[in-house]
Amino acid sequence: EAQVTQNPRYLITVTGKKLTVTCSQNMNHEYMSWYRQDPGLGLRQIYYSMNVEVTDKGDVPEGYKVSRKEKRNFPLILESPSPNQTSLYFCASSLNPGLHSYNEQFFGPGTRLTVL
Amino acid sequence: AQSVTQLGSHVSVSEGALVLLRCNYSSSVPPYLFWYVQYPNQGLQLLLKYTSAATLVKGINGFEAEFKKSETSFHLTKPSAHMSDAAEYFCAVSEKDAGGTSYGKLTFGQGTILTVHP
């Protein structure tokens, strides 16, 4: 089954304790992206990756890191989480938007993060 | 920079009534347009997309949307609401250049929560 998976689905942590949220897709997609969803703000892009070893900032990158060492994986790293990073996080993937006329993005199930 | 506005953070309808969820965008070049639905405790599922073909787009679950360039709108409709339509709906745009190449990034509206009353 074609899908985007995220782990963990739920996480409660404390300020300053480094954490990683994993994302993996099995559709051989070049493009991957992380979003955070906050009430009344919709989804906002954190980071994206056009392909392996190619990453760039989205609209709200502060406090986050990413890496793209393999095509299928795109982990989101919070090196020193703070309470304002409490949110619902979604990973998404699509074919290369530069080669296809539209980039239907497929979303993972979400990770609900609480930082105390 | 492009932006997406969804008018009404909450919409409530009776079962069997028309559903109308509004979306307006601002972009120098008409973008690709999408509607996603999010059921409680789930991820986002694509309802339909506009990719410069027919202006009236039909999606899953009986939803459709019409692209109106003159109004910069892409409103979502369904003739008869079902209880199972209760969810949050997001309009999103993907900006593209004059040649039609997408930049990749999706910009989302704020979301509209649809409630369906029996």
Side-chain angles (χ1 to χ4, degrees):
Chain A
E1 179 189 358
Q3 59 183 348
V4 179
T5 57
Q6 295 179 227
N7 283 291
R9 293 290 312 280
Y10 303 90
L11 179 60
I12 300 174
T13 189
V14 296
T15 299
K17 186 176 182 181
K18 182 179 179 180
L19 66 91
T20 299
V21 183
T22 64
C23 172
S24 184
Q25 51 91 7
N26 62 1
M27 294 169 279
N28 202 34
H29 285 166
E30 295 89 355
Y31 183 90
M32 297 185 75
S33 181
W34 276 103
Y35 297 87
R36 61 176 288 173
Q37 181 182 4
D38 301 290
L41 297 178
L43 281 78
R44 295 175 292 166
Q45 190 180 54
I46 303 170
Y47 267 94
Y48 66 95
S49 170
M50 296 293 281
N51 214 325
V52 176
E53 302 292 2
V54 181
T55 64
D56 208 346
K57 297 177 181 179
D59 294 322
V60 289
E62 294 77 19
Y64 304 95
K65 285 177 58 177
V66 293
S67 68
R68 188 88 182 272
K69 294 185 172 63
E70 304 167 284
K71 196 173 186 180
R72 63 184 292 125
N73 296 323
F74 190 46
L76 179 69
I77 303 156
L78 285 73
E79 296 214 323
S80 184
S82 62
N84 64 12
Q85 293 178 299
T86 293
S87 187
L88 180 58
Y89 291 86
F90 287 100
C91 181
S93 73
S94 75
L95 295 169
N96 186 334
L99 298 178
H100 302 269
S101 59
Y102 55 89
N103 58 321
E104 176 182 344
Q105 293 194 14
F106 296 84
F107 285 80
T111 294
R112 187 168 293 280
L113 172 66
T114 302
V115 183
L116 302 174
Chain B
Q2 61 185 338
S3 66
V4 181
T5 302
Q6 291 182 238
L7 293 176
S9 58
H10 290 81
V11 171
S12 181
V13 301
S14 298
E15 193 172 20
L18 171 71
V19 176
L20 171 60
L21 305 182
R22 300 178 187 273
C23 173
N24 288 87
Y25 68 91
S26 68
S27 178
S28 55
V29 175
Y32 298 115
L33 293 147
F34 306 83
W35 275 99
Y36 283 87
V37 60
Q38 183 180 31
Y39 297 104
N41 300 313
Q42 294 187 28
L44 277 73
Q45 179 183 1
L46 182 68
L47 270 180
L48 49 78
K49 56 184 180 281
Y50 168 74
T51 59
S52 308
T55 56
L56 182 62
V57 180
K58 295 188 184 298
I60 62 172
N61 302 337
F63 284 93
E64 62 182 38
E66 185 173 10
F67 170 68
K68 292 188 177 180
K69 182 179 177 180
S70 61
E71 299 178 7
T72 60
S73 69
F74 191 55
H75 301 332
L76 182 70
T77 61
K78 182 173 180 178
S80 177
H82 294 164
M83 297 294 289
S84 60
D85 294 327
E88 188 164 16
Y89 293 80
F90 292 94
C91 180
V93 303
S94 177
E95 198 168 9
K96 56 186 170 125
D97 62 22
T101 299
S102 169
Y103 293 127
K105 172 187 166 184
L106 283 177
T107 299
F108 285 84
Q110 306 93 316
T112 299
I113 296 173
L114 175 66
T115 303
V116 182
H117 297 288

